[in-house]
Amino acid sequence: MLAVTGIIAVAIAASITFSIGIQRSAARNNDVNDGDQGAYIDYAQNLQRSADKVVGDRNRMPVFPYLLALSTQRRASIEAQYPEAKRVSVIIGIATIVVVGLWALRRMGATAAVAFVLIWAFGVVMFKATTVQADLLFYPLLAALGYLLLGLLRSPKVLTGALVGAVAGIAHLAKASVPPLLILFGLVALAASLLPERSTGWTRERRRSTVGTVATVFFVFGLTVLPYARNSERVYGNPVYNVNSTYYLWYDNYDEVLAGAKSHADGYGRFQLPADEVPTVQRYFREHSPGDVTSRVGGCLIRRIRGLDGA
């Protein structure tokens, strides 16, 4: 009884503190152009106007804009919609706390679950909830995907593999960062299936089950993202087209992006650049030394660290 009372008291105190933290975070985050927040709102408004015709520039994935579109007013300005978009983001953040809490209660004891939820709420949600970005939606999906993939390695099942493939597809449509994790999973499963039984303890039956499960994961993942990939192929000529990896990554800074690709934009996310100005990986490494690349990567890491600690 004393433990339950303590947990309730902690939950109440945490809720009050969290509410204050959210309000302060919202007050600090008042620039709709910071972190491409306005671009997400614009995407959502375009979906409201003609969801069946919107393709986008493949800079942002569609799941989060679709959620924003449920409350976005298509005729309002982006600045006017900003407060409402932040409220939607806060609701998503609170929903993730509930889902994470329910999962933690099933997998951990009550005390550990409370600690886990507090870490998620105060370590991530409080800082991200008032930012109109896909991160709060993507992080739990990615964590759930990693957990499920580990479960498949321990106990491969085709039906579970289908569920995992669908989760992977939804996570990818929230933020295009899932394929590396899936490839790693596939390589680990393949390696374990090829190693001798005395090294892994895997029977022939388990090897077959693992191969079938991995194939199912990739098949259902492909089905889930297929409409998106087909639209990319139709509009951009590449089913895995992404404006960042195709263009922006190969510029040194955003000023070069503005002077290069964006100065030749056609309004539909495509860039009509002269052939000798198209940024490519070959051109980038031809014009940059290893020291240039190291300096750029190191500078990005330093800026990230400074951004995390508020410096």
Side-chain angles (χ1 to χ4, degrees):
M1 183 65 181
L2 184 60
V4 174
T5 303
I7 290 173
I8 292 173
V10 169
I12 293 173
S15 299
I16 294 171
T17 307
F18 180 78
S19 177
I20 295 171
I22 285 287
Q23 292 175 18
R24 291 185 176 179
S25 178
R28 287 195 301 270
N29 179 31
N30 51 25
D31 184 0
V32 71
N33 294 313
D34 185 24
D36 280 348
Q37 296 178 93
Y40 277 107
I41 298 172
D42 181 60
Y43 194 159
Q45 290 179 321
N46 288 333
L47 287 171
Q48 279 200 333
R49 295 186 187 103
S50 54
D52 58 329
K53 297 179 181 178
V54 174
V55 175
D57 63 2
R58 278 11 193 185
N59 196 358
R60 283 154 289 275
M61 301 300 279
V63 171
F64 182 62
Y66 266 106
L67 294 176
L68 284 181
L70 297 176
S71 65
T72 302
Q73 297 178 14
R74 59 186 179 183
R75 300 184 189 280
S77 68
I78 291 176
E79 290 75 12
Q81 282 297 121
Y82 189 35
E84 178 61 27
K86 286 199 286 187
R87 280 191 284 272
V88 172
S89 188
V90 169
I91 291 172
I92 291 173
I94 293 172
T96 67
I97 292 174
V98 173
V99 172
V100 167
L102 292 174
W103 175 86
L105 283 172
R106 286 177 59 89
R107 298 291 176 179
M108 311 173 183
T111 303
V114 169
F116 189 78
V117 170
L118 289 178
I119 291 170
W120 170 250
F122 287 92
V124 181
V125 176
M126 189 172 75
F127 297 101
K128 284 286 189 179
T130 59
T131 303
V132 185
Q133 294 176 332
D135 293 358
L136 271 186
L137 193 62
F138 176 67
Y139 292 160
L141 286 170
L142 184 64
L145 177 60
Y147 179 81
L148 291 169
L149 289 174
L150 285 174
L152 284 182
L153 290 176
R154 296 191 189 100
S155 179
K157 296 177 182 177
V158 171
L159 288 179
T160 306
L163 170 64
V164 174
V167 172
I170 295 169
H172 181 72
L173 293 173
K175 202 164 186 176
S177 301
V178 168
L181 179 60
L182 285 183
I183 292 171
L184 178 62
F185 163 73
L187 291 174
V188 170
L190 178 62
S193 298
L194 293 176
L195 288 172
E197 184 176 340
R198 64 178 179 274
S199 299
T200 62
W202 286 20
T203 63
R204 181 176 296 180
E205 182 181 347
R206 180 168 179 178
R207 294 168 194 271
R208 288 188 189 137
S209 179
T210 297
V211 171
T213 299
V214 171
T216 301
V217 170
F218 280 89
F219 177 73
V220 176
F221 170 77
L223 284 181
T224 305
V225 302
L226 181 61
Y228 183 87
R230 290 182 65 181
N231 271 336
S232 293
E233 174 70 29
R234 175 175 58 83
V235 175
Y236 300 108
N238 183 352
V240 295
Y241 174 83
N242 180 280
V243 70
N244 290 312
S245 58
T246 303
Y247 292 101
Y248 299 164
L249 179 63
W250 311 116
Y251 290 110
D252 286 324
N253 53 59
Y254 194 64
D255 289 336
E256 289 189 8
V257 172
L258 293 174
K262 280 189 173 291
S263 67
H264 295 83
D266 65 0
Y268 297 95
R270 293 167 295 194
F271 305 105
Q272 308 298 327
L273 285 93
D276 61 342
E277 294 183 22
V278 175
T280 63
V281 60
Q282 295 86 355
R283 178 181 174 184
Y284 182 85
F285 284 105
R286 186 172 63 247
E287 297 177 353
H288 293 77
S289 68
D292 294 332
V293 177
T294 302
S295 176
R296 179 180 177 183
V297 173
C300 288
L301 290 174
I302 291 171
R303 286 193 294 274
R304 280 289 184 182
I305 293 170
R306 287 177 176 173
L308 288 173
D309 64 16

